[in-house]
Amino acid sequence: MGAAEDEVVQLTSELIQIDSSNTGELETTTGEAEAAAYVDAKLREVGYGTEIVESGAPGRHNAFCRLPGADSSRPALLVHGHLDVVPFTAEDWSVHPLSGAVQDGYVWGRGAVDMKDMDAMILALARQFRAEGVVPPRDLVFAFLADEEAGGAYGSHWLAEHRPDLFAGCSEALGEVGGFSVTLGEDLRVYPVMTAEKSIAWMRLRVRSRPGHGSMVHDENAVTILAEAVARLGRHRFPLVLTESVQGFFDEITALTGIEFPTESAAALDGAVAKLGGVARVVGATTRDTANPTMLSAGYKANVIPAVAEATVDCRVLPGRQEAFERELDEILGPDVEREWIRNLPAVETAFSGDLVDTMTAAVQAEDPGCHTLPYMMSGGTDAKAFEKLGMRCFGFAPLRLPPDLDFTALFHGTDERVPVDALHFGTRVLERILRTC
C-alpha cells in the first residue's frame, strides 16, 4: 500500500469533520476557509508552494498548487474538487454527519461522496508525489474549490473570470461526477465517465395583476394565474432528445448486456432505463429537458389579493437545446407570465475519445480486469462549466468500486451519506495510475 492509499481514509474523515455547508447565502455559508486552510497546510507540509485565493466574497477560499511535469511544453491537466457540501439535518442521520466516523467498512458523513472522498484522493496523491519526487508526464494543477454546491459564482466561475492565470496551460480537467462502478447482471461492472452535463438554469416566474380585497369577486388574481401556469409547466414532459453522450451510453450498454433502448415512445425508453437500477434516476433525467417548480411566493395578508405572485423553477437543459427549450417554455406559460433567469449556466459536452479517456480506461481496467468504461451525461452541473469556458475538455471521473447492492446515487445530498473504505483505496490506486501516465 502506497503512502496515498495509506492515508486517504484519514484525510476523508478529517475533511468531513470540517463543516463547510453551503446554504447558498453569503451570511450563513461557513467552513470553506477552514477546509482550504486544512488542505493548504497538508500541501505545504510536503513542500509545495501553494496559493489560497478568496473568490469574490469573504470566506470563500480556494487552495491551489502545481506539480511540474517532465514535459512542460505539453498542456497541463487540471485535477479539481470542491470543498463545500450541502446542508444537513443531523437528527435524520443514524451517524452524525460531521463525525467522519469509520465504521462498518464505510467513512460516514456529509461530503463522503460529494465530494470530500475525491478531495482526499487528490490531496493524498499530491502529497505522495511531492514527498517521493514523482515527476508526472505533464504539469498537474491541483485545485480545491469553494461554492460548487451553489453554482460556483463565488468559486470556479469567479476564478475563471478573475484568475485564469491559475489554470495557465490546462487543456483538460478531471473532476466529479463519474468513475463509480455500476454492476450489471452477475458480475459485469461499468465505470461511466462524465463527458457531458445539462445546464443549470434557475428561472423566476412573475405575474403582475390588479390587487384587491379578498372578499370580492376577482377575475384577475395573480396567484391563480401563476398557479395555473406553474401546474402546466410542472406536468409537462419535454421531448426525448438523445445527445452524443447519452446515445453512446445506451449503445455501450446494449453491446454489453443486450438491453435495447427503444425511442419510439417515452414510456418504452423509460421502461428500458429502469432496468439499470439506481443509476436509472440519473440516466433517465438526461433523455429530455426538465423544468421543476421548487418555490412559490405571493401575498402579505389573508384578505388581500396581491399585485404580484412569483415562482422559482429549476430547469436543466440538454446541450444544444436552449433556444428550443425557451420557445417551448413560452408556449406553456402563456403571455401573462414574465420569466427571467436567476442563474443560467450552459450545458457542456465533449467526445468520449482521446488520450486521457484511454488513460482512464487503462487505469481502471488494471485494477478491475474485465470492466468497461463508457460515456454518460450528468443530470446536474459541476465546476466543469467554468473550466469549459477556458477552453478545457472536462471529464468526471472520481473512481470508486462499489458494492453491487449500494444505491450510490441516492447518497448524493442524501441522509447517511457514506463511502466504502475499500472503494477509497481502489480509487486512490486508479487515480494514481492516471496521474502517473496522463
Side-chain angles (χ1 to χ4, degrees):
M1 184 180 293
E5 192 180 349
D6 193 44
E7 71 172 352
V8 68
V9 171
Q10 180 180 346
L11 293 175
T12 304
S13 176
E14 290 176 355
L15 281 165
I16 289 170
Q17 291 170 45
I18 300 170
D19 184 0
S20 53
S21 298
N22 188 346
T23 65
E25 303 293 335
L26 289 175
E27 313 80 54
T28 53
T29 294
T30 61
E32 289 173 333
E34 183 183 351
Y38 170 90
V39 169
D40 185 69
K42 291 291 184 181
L43 293 171
R44 286 183 177 275
E45 186 177 74
V46 292
Y48 278 102
T50 62
E51 186 169 1
I52 292 282
V53 180
E54 192 173 67
S55 47
R60 313 314 294 265
H61 287 189
N62 309 264
F64 291 86
C65 70
R66 182 183 285 254
L67 182 63
D71 186 356
S72 59
S73 68
R74 287 185 59 196
L77 174 66
L78 172 65
V79 188
H80 63 97
H82 63 83
L83 295 170
D84 61 322
V85 298
V86 295
F88 52 83
T89 303
E91 52 265 33
D92 294 338
W93 290 55
S94 60
V95 175
H96 195 282
L98 294 179
S99 67
V102 182
Q103 61 185 57
D104 304 322
Y106 288 83
V107 184
W108 297 69
R110 175 59 83 220
V113 301
D114 188 14
M115 63 173 297
K116 290 181 175 179
D117 58 339
M118 180 63 164
D119 291 334
M121 287 191 277
I122 297 169
L123 180 57
L125 286 166
R127 282 167 54 82
Q128 177 182 314
F129 282 13
R130 181 69 179 185
E132 296 180 355
V134 173
V135 179
R138 54 171 162 163
D139 287 8
L140 301 177
V141 175
F142 298 111
F144 302 84
L145 305 170
D147 199 37
E148 190 276 343
E149 294 293 1
Y154 295 102
S156 59
H157 288 275
W158 187 95
L159 293 162
E161 181 178 355
H162 298 279
R163 290 295 309 275
D165 57 293
L166 292 165
F167 312 102
C170 292
S171 64
E172 295 170 311
L174 192 62
E176 59 174 353
V177 173
F180 54 90
S181 68
V182 177
T183 301
L184 304 171
E186 287 297 317
D187 196 32
L188 172 63
R189 277 178 300 282
V190 297
Y191 291 81
V193 179
M194 193 272 282
T195 55
E197 56 186 50
K198 297 171 80 175
S199 74
I200 299 176
W202 298 331
M203 179 175 63
R204 181 178 291 114
L205 305 180
R206 184 180 295 111
V207 173
R208 306 175 193 271
S209 191
R210 179 170 53 87
H213 199 290
S215 67
M216 307 276 185
V217 174
H218 202 92
D219 295 329
E220 299 177 15
N221 190 320
V223 175
T224 303
I225 296 168
L226 179 70
E228 290 172 343
V230 166
R232 288 194 301 272
L233 182 58
R235 295 191 186 100
H236 182 72
R237 296 280 276 180
F238 288 87
L240 291 175
V241 177
L242 301 188
T243 68
E244 179 182 343
S245 295
V246 176
Q247 187 64 64
F249 176 90
F250 288 150
D251 290 346
E252 288 293 327
I253 294 294
T254 298
L256 292 170
T257 67
I259 297 173
E260 299 283 347
F261 295 91
T263 57
E264 64 268 15
S265 73
L269 182 59
D270 290 346
V273 170
K275 298 176 183 178
L276 299 176
V279 77
R281 65 171 62 87
V282 176
V283 175
T286 63
T287 61
R288 55 175 62 82
D289 305 320
T290 57
N292 289 312
T294 55
M295 299 171 68
L296 292 168
S297 175
Y300 56 90
K301 200 169 185 291
N303 62 349
V304 177
I305 295 171
V308 178
E310 296 183 340
T312 303
V313 184
D314 186 346
C315 305
R316 305 296 172 122
V317 185
L318 293 166
R321 273 278 302 170
Q322 187 69 29
E323 289 186 10
F325 177 78
E326 292 195 29
R327 286 196 301 269
E328 201 162 341
L329 273 181
D330 291 338
E331 292 175 5
I332 297 162
L333 295 173
D336 297 324
V337 181
E338 304 170 13
R339 63 174 176 83
E340 63 176 333
W341 296 115
I342 305 167
R343 190 97 169 109
N344 193 2
L345 303 175
V348 297
E349 186 166 31
T350 191
F352 183 64
S353 61
D355 291 342
L356 185 57
V357 170
D358 294 342
T359 297
M360 288 186 278
T361 300
V364 73
Q365 287 179 343
E367 294 293 335
D368 187 4
C371 75
H372 299 265
T373 59
L374 69 175
Y376 95 106
M377 179 185 293
M378 186 185 172
S379 58
T382 74
D383 287 326
K385 295 185 185 305
F387 303 133
E388 192 269 345
K389 291 190 297 184
L390 294 178
M392 297 183 216
R393 296 182 67 206
C394 298
F395 300 93
F397 197 77
L400 298 170
R401 178 171 170 171
L402 301 169
D405 57 349
L406 180 66
D407 190 357
F408 183 66
T409 59
L411 298 177
F412 284 81
H413 298 189
T415 56
D416 285 344
E417 186 179 350
R418 61 198 184 276
V419 62
V421 168
D422 288 346
L424 284 171
H425 290 155
F426 172 88
T428 303
R429 295 194 302 271
V430 172
L431 189 59
E432 180 178 358
R433 289 178 181 273
I434 294 170
L435 300 185
R436 283 182 179 271
T437 58
C438 65

